[in-house]
Amino acid sequence: MPEAIALDAYDTRILAELQADARISMAELGRRVHLSQPAATERVRKLEAAGVIGGYRATVNLTALGYGIRAIVRVARAEYARIVKLIKETPEVINAFNVTGEDSWILEIAVIDVPHLDAVVTRFCLLAETSTSIILNAPREHQVMLPPRAEDVKPPIRKITNA
């Protein structure tokens, strides 16, 4: 796992601006973070080279594309390679996470309607037990993430025992 690199206030502001609008011009980015366009461009290139910025993409409105339902599908233990293969073969899977705990996988899917949901979930049911929750709304998505600050990290709560 790569080690976190040291970022200064300019880098942090650049990350915030790019996460809010990845289509921003380098000239406008420079203006917003109080750097020249060449300085902003160089910092972005360094952040990309260091792997801090891994790519750029458009956020798509799934409802506008015809997907009426988003759901979370939890998949129990199953043969890893078979699940990975099925995930790759299932275009409705938006995100797939191999996790710890009772479930082995958590999938986010987008489907047209309930029959489509049933068809997609059934494919996974053939490999393992599943549990599905329809997403009613998403009050937070695509949260801007900046480097953690030491003052934001709280120590764990310790249980006081009587001696």
Side-chain angles (χ1 to χ4, degrees):
M1 188 164 187
E3 190 175 316
I5 67 166
L7 302 177
D8 65 15
Y10 289 112
D11 295 326
T12 301
R13 290 199 315 255
I14 287 169
L15 289 174
E17 291 294 339
L18 288 175
Q19 287 178 81
D21 181 5
R23 292 183 52 156
I24 190 172
S25 71
M26 287 297 122
E28 179 61 21
L29 178 62
R31 275 192 288 283
R32 290 187 188 181
V33 301
H34 307 292
L35 289 172
S36 68
Q37 182 268 327
T41 301
E42 182 59 27
R43 282 178 176 266
V44 169
R45 285 193 185 125
K46 285 181 180 176
L47 291 166
E48 291 169 344
V52 175
I53 297 174
Y56 302 88
R57 64 177 38 145
T59 301
V60 177
N61 179 336
L62 295 171
T63 304
L65 290 178
Y67 296 101
I69 297 173
R70 283 188 355 185
I72 301 296
V73 180
R74 290 170 297 285
V75 182
R77 289 186 200 111
E79 185 183 329
Y80 182 88
R82 291 179 72 189
I83 291 289
V84 170
K85 183 177 186 293
L86 183 55
I87 289 167
K88 289 180 179 178
E89 294 171 350
T90 308
E92 295 88 352
V93 175
I94 301 167
N95 291 299
F97 306 98
N98 184 216
V99 298
T100 62
E102 288 185 36
D103 301 314
S104 289
W105 293 91
I106 297 177
L107 312 175
E108 179 185 359
I109 64 171
V111 293
I112 298 167
D113 53 21
V114 173
H116 188 194
L117 175 65
D118 182 40
V120 173
V121 172
T122 298
R123 290 183 227 150
F124 288 92
C125 286
L126 296 174
L127 297 180
E129 186 176 321
T130 65
S131 175
T132 304
S133 299
I134 293 175
I135 298 170
L136 298 176
N137 64 56
R140 175 182 273 185
E141 287 187 297
H142 312 292
Q143 172 63 26
V144 171
M145 295 298 294
L146 301 174
R149 300 178 321 167
E151 60 268 22
D152 293 337
V153 179
K154 307 289 187 242
I157 298 172
R158 298 185 190 233
K159 187 174 182 180
I160 299 174
T161 58
N162 294 335

